[in-house]
Amino acid sequence: MRELAERPEDVPLVFAERFNSGDPDAVAQVYESGALFVPEPGRALTGTRAHAANARFMRLGVPITVRPRHVYTAGDLALLIVDWFIDGEDADGRHVRVEGTATDVARRGQDGRWRYVVDNPFGTLRTATE
């Protein structure tokens, strides 16, 4: 399994490899303590709730593919725009397709590794009430 990212553009790739491993604890390591995860527009979670929401996506049992589009770095912060999709058959043979364009923020830690501070997988997608 990949080590945590040494470059901001590698954070999505590390995330995808760990997601596809099926190990929620390995995925959680890609996030800073106190990081924000937005599992759906308008709903931001932290801590164990964020971890559980991410694990729900993993339980689909379908791999994720990521395609970083833009990475903008300013010192120890980076904005990542990443196209991603989860596409395949679940354990019951049903087709699953979930996709989006993430707007994420990563930060370089004191150990030199980059981790998510904000993981917003659906980017600018509007909520149902907007």
Side-chain angles (χ1 to χ4, degrees):
M1 187 171 313
R2 279 182 196 246
E3 293 294 319
L4 293 176
E6 293 182 358
R7 304 177 318 158
E9 58 268 28
D10 293 334
V11 176
L13 304 174
V14 170
F15 172 86
E17 183 176 294
R18 289 171 177 236
F19 181 100
N20 292 339
S21 78
D23 182 352
D25 292 331
V27 170
Q29 294 171 359
V30 183
Y31 293 83
E32 253 188 28
S33 174
L36 202 66
F37 177 61
V38 184
E40 60 188 60
R43 186 170 158 238
L45 305 172
T46 60
T48 57
R49 293 177 56 211
H51 184 67
N54 223 332
R56 280 193 292 279
F57 281 104
M58 294 176 72
R59 279 195 300 275
L60 292 171
V62 180
I64 191 169
T65 300
V66 297
R67 293 197 178 108
R69 189 189 311 177
H70 301 290
V71 178
Y72 304 106
T73 305
D76 290 337
L77 287 176
L79 172 65
L80 301 105
I81 309 300
V82 180
D83 298 316
W84 62 273
F85 59 92
I86 296 170
D87 189 25
E89 289 187 5
D90 67 12
D92 296 325
R94 293 179 298 223
H95 183 255
V96 173
R97 174 109 182 155
V98 184
E99 63 186 305
T101 298
T103 53
D104 298 332
V105 177
R107 180 175 16 227
R108 182 178 20 227
Q110 291 182 353
D111 62 357
R113 304 295 181 153
W114 289 82
R115 294 171 181 83
Y116 286 124
V117 178
V118 177
D119 182 4
N120 182 15
F122 294 102
T124 59
L125 187 67
R126 296 179 186 271
T127 63
T129 60
E130 292 181 297

